[in-house]
Amino acid sequence: MNKTLLTSIVFGLFAIGAAAQQKLPSQWEEKAVDNARQQMGLQIKAIESDQSGRVLNPVTVKADRNTTAYCRYDDWRSGFFPGSMWYLYELTGDESLVPLARKYTEAISEAQFLTWHHDIGFIINCSFGNGRRHVDRDEYEKVIVQAARSLCSRFRPGAGVIQSWNVDGNSWQAQRGWICPVIIDNMMNLELLFEATEITGDSTYYNVAVSHADRTMAEHFRPDGSCYHVIDYDPESGKVLHRNTAQGYADESAWSRGQSWAVYGFTVCYRKTGDRKYLDQAVATLSFMKNHASLPSDGIPYWDMDAPGIPDEPRDVSSAAVLASSLYELCGYSVENPKEYRQLADRIMMSLASDEYTAKPGENGRFILMHSVGSIPHKSEIDVPLNYADYYYLEALLRRRNLDK
Ligand code: GLY
């Protein structure tokens, strides 16, 4: 990028942020957007100043907790930073962000051909899916459709599900004895399939999404509305072989981010199909979370709702951000108490926007939010910033603003 243009963009983002700080906005929402501008301005500056020739894609921090770690295009988290750029643009109207958002989005376009894991939905829908509102639609829609084709290559008709992870050689998934593991997170990949049917008119993608959602609804949930993390299937007969966790405390516990993925994923299924049963499932899991004795009063869940050391367990801000974003969507549907949903979402967002969870500009690897958890059982990313927490936080800010319009 032209150096003068970069300097003016970064200076502009700082200047706006600094001015906002001086006038000390009383509204938390205004302050939250200003803070996001500052942190992402710094992140952009680091990316644009890098001399390696790569387009850096920030994902979390390294062990020192301040050096930014980056990911490759095939990492499940590669779509979140490009997606955050599109959301920041929508939140601020700052046109200088568009070429940068395009650049970061198009840098991961190779992901449309990924077939070795299920996260193509996360990757492409968050980046190209958001970008297509602002650029040449045809170009981005081609990527979305190719990505949907790649995702469908993982559909196992005997079980009616999309296989989440491969179980190769001596991988940790193989060591667990799984054959066709499906994780609740996979619900988040379905939006891409619905979009592909809307673009092409080909119902294949829609049918795969509905089959996966129906089987997940039948197998992943407990009577109290909570969900298992991993269901392992026999891909031929469709028989359930195992009900386990990978990232939660125990097979029978409620891993918080998994619960949030379920609420969000089934809300999307309701939006795309109009089928009430999906809305009821989202509400059931949401009610489980909302009424759980371990949910703190600030609305930010512990990493697992049944973690044994609560209250001395890490929180998971990413789970809270995903939940808040779903709540802003859910409160627009015919649910029993939309006001209560809106209040819970606002409570979560005000907590996230406070100094307790929002980092000071320049700290926290230049990510907006602190205190997320990747995977405690894998001893990985504990109490750190994560780019998907920021992504769903920005999405929630935008959804809130759109509701208020
Ligand atoms: N999809 C992986 C996670 O939620 O950690």
PDB file of all heavy atoms in Angstrom, residues 180-207:
ATOM      1  N   CYS A 180     -16.156 -40.488  12.833  1.00  0.00           N
ATOM      2  CA  CYS A 180     -16.741 -39.358  12.086  1.00  0.00           C
ATOM      3  C   CYS A 180     -17.230 -38.327  13.118  1.00  0.00           C
ATOM      4  O   CYS A 180     -18.425 -38.234  13.400  1.00  0.00           O
ATOM      5  CB  CYS A 180     -17.882 -39.866  11.206  1.00  0.00           C
ATOM      6  SG  CYS A 180     -18.815 -38.569  10.389  1.00  0.00           S
ATOM      7  N   PRO A 181     -16.291 -37.563  13.700  1.00  0.00           N
ATOM      8  CA  PRO A 181     -16.694 -36.622  14.747  1.00  0.00           C
ATOM      9  C   PRO A 181     -17.378 -35.370  14.185  1.00  0.00           C
ATOM     10  O   PRO A 181     -16.934 -34.805  13.196  1.00  0.00           O
ATOM     11  CB  PRO A 181     -15.362 -36.247  15.421  1.00  0.00           C
ATOM     12  CG  PRO A 181     -14.313 -36.516  14.406  1.00  0.00           C
ATOM     13  CD  PRO A 181     -14.837 -37.573  13.465  1.00  0.00           C
ATOM     14  N   VAL A 182     -18.448 -35.012  14.854  1.00  0.00           N
ATOM     15  CA  VAL A 182     -19.179 -33.783  14.496  1.00  0.00           C
ATOM     16  C   VAL A 182     -19.263 -32.929  15.750  1.00  0.00           C
ATOM     17  O   VAL A 182     -19.722 -33.408  16.801  1.00  0.00           O
ATOM     18  CB  VAL A 182     -20.600 -34.112  13.986  1.00  0.00           C
ATOM     19  CG1 VAL A 182     -21.401 -32.830  13.771  1.00  0.00           C
ATOM     20  CG2 VAL A 182     -20.516 -34.904  12.685  1.00  0.00           C
ATOM     21  N   ILE A 183     -18.815 -31.687  15.648  1.00  0.00           N
ATOM     22  CA  ILE A 183     -18.850 -30.816  16.833  1.00  0.00           C
ATOM     23  C   ILE A 183     -19.957 -29.789  16.672  1.00  0.00           C
ATOM     24  O   ILE A 183     -20.342 -29.440  15.557  1.00  0.00           O
ATOM     25  CB  ILE A 183     -17.470 -30.162  17.097  1.00  0.00           C
ATOM     26  CG1 ILE A 183     -16.981 -29.315  15.914  1.00  0.00           C
ATOM     27  CG2 ILE A 183     -16.441 -31.249  17.417  1.00  0.00           C
ATOM     28  CD1 ILE A 183     -15.662 -28.572  16.203  1.00  0.00           C
ATOM     29  N   ILE A 184     -20.434 -29.318  17.802  1.00  0.00           N
ATOM     30  CA  ILE A 184     -21.569 -28.386  17.774  1.00  0.00           C
ATOM     31  C   ILE A 184     -21.200 -27.121  17.003  1.00  0.00           C
ATOM     32  O   ILE A 184     -22.059 -26.512  16.347  1.00  0.00           O
ATOM     33  CB  ILE A 184     -22.080 -28.072  19.209  1.00  0.00           C
ATOM     34  CG1 ILE A 184     -23.418 -27.322  19.160  1.00  0.00           C
ATOM     35  CG2 ILE A 184     -21.055 -27.299  20.028  1.00  0.00           C
ATOM     36  CD1 ILE A 184     -24.573 -28.081  18.600  1.00  0.00           C
ATOM     37  N   ASP A 185     -19.930 -26.757  17.022  1.00  0.00           N
ATOM     38  CA  ASP A 185     -19.431 -25.584  16.290  1.00  0.00           C
ATOM     39  C   ASP A 185     -19.827 -25.618  14.808  1.00  0.00           C
ATOM     40  O   ASP A 185     -19.937 -24.586  14.150  1.00  0.00           O
ATOM     41  CB  ASP A 185     -17.894 -25.498  16.348  1.00  0.00           C
ATOM     42  CG  ASP A 185     -17.279 -25.958  17.649  1.00  0.00           C
ATOM     43  OD1 ASP A 185     -17.881 -26.821  18.314  1.00  0.00           O
ATOM     44  OD2 ASP A 185     -16.191 -25.483  17.998  1.00  0.00           O
ATOM     45  N   ASN A 186     -20.010 -26.839  14.304  1.00  0.00           N
ATOM     46  CA  ASN A 186     -20.311 -27.035  12.881  1.00  0.00           C
ATOM     47  C   ASN A 186     -21.620 -26.363  12.470  1.00  0.00           C
ATOM     48  O   ASN A 186     -21.836 -26.071  11.292  1.00  0.00           O
ATOM     49  CB  ASN A 186     -20.379 -28.544  12.600  1.00  0.00           C
ATOM     50  CG  ASN A 186     -20.024 -28.899  11.165  1.00  0.00           C
ATOM     51  OD1 ASN A 186     -20.059 -28.052  10.292  1.00  0.00           O
ATOM     52  ND2 ASN A 186     -19.702 -30.149  10.918  1.00  0.00           N
ATOM     53  N   MET A 187     -22.476 -26.090  13.448  1.00  0.00           N
ATOM     54  CA  MET A 187     -23.716 -25.369  13.129  1.00  0.00           C
ATOM     55  C   MET A 187     -23.409 -24.001  12.516  1.00  0.00           C
ATOM     56  O   MET A 187     -24.204 -23.456  11.754  1.00  0.00           O
ATOM     57  CB  MET A 187     -24.566 -25.183  14.397  1.00  0.00           C
ATOM     58  CG  MET A 187     -25.225 -26.445  14.899  1.00  0.00           C
ATOM     59  SD  MET A 187     -26.338 -27.193  13.689  1.00  0.00           S
ATOM     60  CE  MET A 187     -27.517 -25.882  13.396  1.00  0.00           C
ATOM     61  N   MET A 188     -22.223 -23.469  12.861  1.00  0.00           N
ATOM     62  CA  MET A 188     -21.852 -22.137  12.378  1.00  0.00           C
ATOM     63  C   MET A 188     -21.442 -22.147  10.901  1.00  0.00           C
ATOM     64  O   MET A 188     -21.322 -21.097  10.291  1.00  0.00           O
ATOM     65  CB  MET A 188     -20.700 -21.577  13.216  1.00  0.00           C
ATOM     66  CG  MET A 188     -21.001 -21.449  14.683  1.00  0.00           C
ATOM     67  SD  MET A 188     -22.290 -20.233  15.042  1.00  0.00           S
ATOM     68  CE  MET A 188     -21.449 -18.696  14.739  1.00  0.00           C
ATOM     69  N   ASN A 189     -21.206 -23.335  10.358  1.00  0.00           N
ATOM     70  CA  ASN A 189     -20.809 -23.414   8.952  1.00  0.00           C
ATOM     71  C   ASN A 189     -22.005 -23.451   8.002  1.00  0.00           C
ATOM     72  O   ASN A 189     -21.847 -23.362   6.785  1.00  0.00           O
ATOM     73  CB  ASN A 189     -19.934 -24.655   8.737  1.00  0.00           C
ATOM     74  CG  ASN A 189     -18.582 -24.500   9.420  1.00  0.00           C
ATOM     75  OD1 ASN A 189     -17.921 -23.483   9.246  1.00  0.00           O
ATOM     76  ND2 ASN A 189     -18.192 -25.481  10.217  1.00  0.00           N
ATOM     77  N   LEU A 190     -23.201 -23.619   8.566  1.00  0.00           N
ATOM     78  CA  LEU A 190     -24.363 -23.846   7.700  1.00  0.00           C
ATOM     79  C   LEU A 190     -24.836 -22.593   6.966  1.00  0.00           C
ATOM     80  O   LEU A 190     -25.419 -22.678   5.886  1.00  0.00           O
ATOM     81  CB  LEU A 190     -25.524 -24.439   8.512  1.00  0.00           C
ATOM     82  CG  LEU A 190     -25.223 -25.740   9.277  1.00  0.00           C
ATOM     83  CD1 LEU A 190     -26.495 -26.283   9.909  1.00  0.00           C
ATOM     84  CD2 LEU A 190     -24.580 -26.796   8.379  1.00  0.00           C
ATOM     85  N   GLU A 191     -24.587 -21.429   7.558  1.00  0.00           N
ATOM     86  CA  GLU A 191     -25.062 -20.193   6.915  1.00  0.00           C
ATOM     87  C   GLU A 191     -24.514 -20.099   5.481  1.00  0.00           C
ATOM     88  O   GLU A 191     -25.211 -19.685   4.555  1.00  0.00           O
ATOM     89  CB  GLU A 191     -24.638 -18.970   7.752  1.00  0.00           C
ATOM     90  CG  GLU A 191     -25.257 -17.682   7.243  1.00  0.00           C
ATOM     91  CD  GLU A 191     -25.120 -16.514   8.219  1.00  0.00           C
ATOM     92  OE1 GLU A 191     -24.554 -16.692   9.319  1.00  0.00           O
ATOM     93  OE2 GLU A 191     -25.591 -15.420   7.866  1.00  0.00           O
ATOM     94  N   LEU A 192     -23.267 -20.506   5.311  1.00  0.00           N
ATOM     95  CA  LEU A 192     -22.634 -20.485   3.985  1.00  0.00           C
ATOM     96  C   LEU A 192     -23.444 -21.324   2.988  1.00  0.00           C
ATOM     97  O   LEU A 192     -23.616 -20.939   1.827  1.00  0.00           O
ATOM     98  CB  LEU A 192     -21.212 -21.046   4.092  1.00  0.00           C
ATOM     99  CG  LEU A 192     -20.452 -21.161   2.779  1.00  0.00           C
ATOM    100  CD1 LEU A 192     -19.656 -19.887   2.516  1.00  0.00           C
ATOM    101  CD2 LEU A 192     -19.493 -22.345   2.803  1.00  0.00           C
ATOM    102  N   LEU A 193     -23.944 -22.471   3.451  1.00  0.00           N
ATOM    103  CA  LEU A 193     -24.697 -23.359   2.555  1.00  0.00           C
ATOM    104  C   LEU A 193     -26.034 -22.729   2.168  1.00  0.00           C
ATOM    105  O   LEU A 193     -26.447 -22.789   1.003  1.00  0.00           O
ATOM    106  CB  LEU A 193     -24.914 -24.722   3.219  1.00  0.00           C
ATOM    107  CG  LEU A 193     -23.641 -25.492   3.586  1.00  0.00           C
ATOM    108  CD1 LEU A 193     -23.990 -26.835   4.230  1.00  0.00           C
ATOM    109  CD2 LEU A 193     -22.773 -25.726   2.353  1.00  0.00           C
ATOM    110  N   PHE A 194     -26.706 -22.133   3.147  1.00  0.00           N
ATOM    111  CA  PHE A 194     -27.967 -21.455   2.826  1.00  0.00           C
ATOM    112  C   PHE A 194     -27.729 -20.323   1.815  1.00  0.00           C
ATOM    113  O   PHE A 194     -28.500 -20.124   0.882  1.00  0.00           O
ATOM    114  CB  PHE A 194     -28.604 -20.885   4.097  1.00  0.00           C
ATOM    115  CG  PHE A 194     -29.156 -21.944   5.031  1.00  0.00           C
ATOM    116  CD1 PHE A 194     -28.680 -22.074   6.329  1.00  0.00           C
ATOM    117  CD2 PHE A 194     -30.166 -22.809   4.618  1.00  0.00           C
ATOM    118  CE1 PHE A 194     -29.197 -23.033   7.197  1.00  0.00           C
ATOM    119  CE2 PHE A 194     -30.691 -23.778   5.475  1.00  0.00           C
ATOM    120  CZ  PHE A 194     -30.199 -23.888   6.766  1.00  0.00           C
ATOM    121  N   GLU A 195     -26.625 -19.616   2.029  1.00  0.00           N
ATOM    122  CA  GLU A 195     -26.302 -18.504   1.117  1.00  0.00           C
ATOM    123  C   GLU A 195     -26.056 -19.044  -0.293  1.00  0.00           C
ATOM    124  O   GLU A 195     -26.469 -18.433  -1.281  1.00  0.00           O
ATOM    125  CB  GLU A 195     -25.046 -17.752   1.581  1.00  0.00           C
ATOM    126  CG  GLU A 195     -25.155 -17.101   2.956  1.00  0.00           C
ATOM    127  CD  GLU A 195     -25.985 -15.833   2.958  1.00  0.00           C
ATOM    128  OE1 GLU A 195     -26.070 -15.192   1.903  1.00  0.00           O
ATOM    129  OE2 GLU A 195     -26.566 -15.512   4.013  1.00  0.00           O
ATOM    130  N   ALA A 196     -25.360 -20.173  -0.377  1.00  0.00           N
ATOM    131  CA  ALA A 196     -25.028 -20.726  -1.697  1.00  0.00           C
ATOM    132  C   ALA A 196     -26.306 -21.102  -2.453  1.00  0.00           C
ATOM    133  O   ALA A 196     -26.398 -20.911  -3.666  1.00  0.00           O
ATOM    134  CB  ALA A 196     -24.104 -21.931  -1.555  1.00  0.00           C
ATOM    135  N   THR A 197     -27.300 -21.629  -1.734  1.00  0.00           N
ATOM    136  CA  THR A 197     -28.564 -21.948  -2.412  1.00  0.00           C
ATOM    137  C   THR A 197     -29.262 -20.668  -2.845  1.00  0.00           C
ATOM    138  O   THR A 197     -29.813 -20.583  -3.949  1.00  0.00           O
ATOM    139  CB  THR A 197     -29.466 -22.800  -1.493  1.00  0.00           C
ATOM    140  OG1 THR A 197     -28.905 -24.110  -1.429  1.00  0.00           O
ATOM    141  CG2 THR A 197     -30.889 -22.887  -2.019  1.00  0.00           C
ATOM    142  N   GLU A 198     -29.223 -19.641  -2.022  1.00  0.00           N
ATOM    143  CA  GLU A 198     -29.854 -18.375  -2.409  1.00  0.00           C
ATOM    144  C   GLU A 198     -29.184 -17.792  -3.661  1.00  0.00           C
ATOM    145  O   GLU A 198     -29.844 -17.228  -4.526  1.00  0.00           O
ATOM    146  CB  GLU A 198     -29.793 -17.364  -1.252  1.00  0.00           C
ATOM    147  CG  GLU A 198     -30.796 -17.698  -0.151  1.00  0.00           C
ATOM    148  CD  GLU A 198     -30.533 -16.950   1.162  1.00  0.00           C
ATOM    149  OE1 GLU A 198     -29.887 -15.886   1.137  1.00  0.00           O
ATOM    150  OE2 GLU A 198     -30.980 -17.447   2.202  1.00  0.00           O
ATOM    151  N   ILE A 199     -27.876 -17.952  -3.756  1.00  0.00           N
ATOM    152  CA  ILE A 199     -27.146 -17.389  -4.904  1.00  0.00           C
ATOM    153  C   ILE A 199     -27.418 -18.188  -6.177  1.00  0.00           C
ATOM    154  O   ILE A 199     -27.669 -17.622  -7.239  1.00  0.00           O
ATOM    155  CB  ILE A 199     -25.615 -17.370  -4.610  1.00  0.00           C
ATOM    156  CG1 ILE A 199     -25.300 -16.374  -3.483  1.00  0.00           C
ATOM    157  CG2 ILE A 199     -24.811 -17.027  -5.861  1.00  0.00           C
ATOM    158  CD1 ILE A 199     -23.895 -16.515  -2.893  1.00  0.00           C
ATOM    159  N   THR A 200     -27.387 -19.529  -6.048  1.00  0.00           N
ATOM    160  CA  THR A 200     -27.428 -20.371  -7.262  1.00  0.00           C
ATOM    161  C   THR A 200     -28.819 -20.912  -7.592  1.00  0.00           C
ATOM    162  O   THR A 200     -29.065 -21.348  -8.708  1.00  0.00           O
ATOM    163  CB  THR A 200     -26.527 -21.617  -7.075  1.00  0.00           C
ATOM    164  OG1 THR A 200     -27.019 -22.341  -5.918  1.00  0.00           O
ATOM    165  CG2 THR A 200     -25.079 -21.236  -6.848  1.00  0.00           C
ATOM    166  N   GLY A 201     -29.697 -20.980  -6.600  1.00  0.00           N
ATOM    167  CA  GLY A 201     -30.993 -21.622  -6.810  1.00  0.00           C
ATOM    168  C   GLY A 201     -30.885 -23.143  -6.700  1.00  0.00           C
ATOM    169  O   GLY A 201     -31.885 -23.854  -6.851  1.00  0.00           O
ATOM    170  N   ASP A 202     -29.702 -23.651  -6.433  1.00  0.00           N
ATOM    171  CA  ASP A 202     -29.490 -25.102  -6.318  1.00  0.00           C
ATOM    172  C   ASP A 202     -29.761 -25.515  -4.856  1.00  0.00           C
ATOM    173  O   ASP A 202     -29.038 -25.099  -3.941  1.00  0.00           O
ATOM    174  CB  ASP A 202     -28.046 -25.417  -6.724  1.00  0.00           C
ATOM    175  CG  ASP A 202     -27.711 -26.898  -6.585  1.00  0.00           C
ATOM    176  OD1 ASP A 202     -28.527 -27.654  -6.008  1.00  0.00           O
ATOM    177  OD2 ASP A 202     -26.621 -27.292  -7.036  1.00  0.00           O
ATOM    178  N   SER A 203     -30.774 -26.334  -4.665  1.00  0.00           N
ATOM    179  CA  SER A 203     -31.192 -26.671  -3.300  1.00  0.00           C
ATOM    180  C   SER A 203     -30.277 -27.684  -2.603  1.00  0.00           C
ATOM    181  O   SER A 203     -30.461 -27.995  -1.426  1.00  0.00           O
ATOM    182  CB  SER A 203     -32.634 -27.209  -3.304  1.00  0.00           C
ATOM    183  OG  SER A 203     -32.677 -28.347  -4.131  1.00  0.00           O
ATOM    184  N   THR A 204     -29.298 -28.206  -3.319  1.00  0.00           N
ATOM    185  CA  THR A 204     -28.401 -29.206  -2.708  1.00  0.00           C
ATOM    186  C   THR A 204     -27.798 -28.682  -1.403  1.00  0.00           C
ATOM    187  O   THR A 204     -27.761 -29.381  -0.388  1.00  0.00           O
ATOM    188  CB  THR A 204     -27.245 -29.557  -3.684  1.00  0.00           C
ATOM    189  OG1 THR A 204     -27.802 -29.824  -4.949  1.00  0.00           O
ATOM    190  CG2 THR A 204     -26.445 -30.740  -3.193  1.00  0.00           C
ATOM    191  N   TYR A 205     -27.312 -27.453  -1.438  1.00  0.00           N
ATOM    192  CA  TYR A 205     -26.622 -26.885  -0.267  1.00  0.00           C
ATOM    193  C   TYR A 205     -27.604 -26.742   0.906  1.00  0.00           C
ATOM    194  O   TYR A 205     -27.297 -27.061   2.045  1.00  0.00           O
ATOM    195  CB  TYR A 205     -26.011 -25.520  -0.614  1.00  0.00           C
ATOM    196  CG  TYR A 205     -25.188 -25.540  -1.875  1.00  0.00           C
ATOM    197  CD1 TYR A 205     -25.665 -24.945  -3.057  1.00  0.00           C
ATOM    198  CD2 TYR A 205     -23.949 -26.167  -1.915  1.00  0.00           C
ATOM    199  CE1 TYR A 205     -24.921 -24.978  -4.223  1.00  0.00           C
ATOM    200  CE2 TYR A 205     -23.194 -26.204  -3.084  1.00  0.00           C
ATOM    201  CZ  TYR A 205     -23.690 -25.610  -4.237  1.00  0.00           C
ATOM    202  OH  TYR A 205     -22.958 -25.643  -5.396  1.00  0.00           O
ATOM    203  N   TYR A 206     -28.783 -26.253   0.575  1.00  0.00           N
ATOM    204  CA  TYR A 206     -29.836 -26.070   1.587  1.00  0.00           C
ATOM    205  C   TYR A 206     -30.175 -27.422   2.228  1.00  0.00           C
ATOM    206  O   TYR A 206     -30.288 -27.548   3.447  1.00  0.00           O
ATOM    207  CB  TYR A 206     -31.060 -25.472   0.895  1.00  0.00           C
ATOM    208  CG  TYR A 206     -32.257 -25.180   1.776  1.00  0.00           C
ATOM    209  CD1 TYR A 206     -32.529 -23.875   2.187  1.00  0.00           C
ATOM    210  CD2 TYR A 206     -33.142 -26.195   2.173  1.00  0.00           C
ATOM    211  CE1 TYR A 206     -33.643 -23.589   2.975  1.00  0.00           C
ATOM    212  CE2 TYR A 206     -34.246 -25.923   2.952  1.00  0.00           C
ATOM    213  CZ  TYR A 206     -34.502 -24.611   3.351  1.00  0.00           C
ATOM    214  OH  TYR A 206     -35.599 -24.340   4.130  1.00  0.00           O
ATOM    215  N   ASN A 207     -30.314 -28.440   1.391  1.00  0.00           N
ATOM    216  CA  ASN A 207     -30.705 -29.757   1.901  1.00  0.00           C
ATOM    217  C   ASN A 207     -29.628 -30.355   2.817  1.00  0.00           C
ATOM    218  O   ASN A 207     -29.946 -30.991   3.819  1.00  0.00           O
ATOM    219  CB  ASN A 207     -31.013 -30.717   0.747  1.00  0.00           C
ATOM    220  CG  ASN A 207     -32.271 -30.281   0.000  1.00  0.00           C
ATOM    221  OD1 ASN A 207     -33.120 -29.564   0.549  1.00  0.00           O
ATOM    222  ND2 ASN A 207     -32.394 -30.679  -1.257  1.00  0.00           N
TER     223      ASN A 207
END
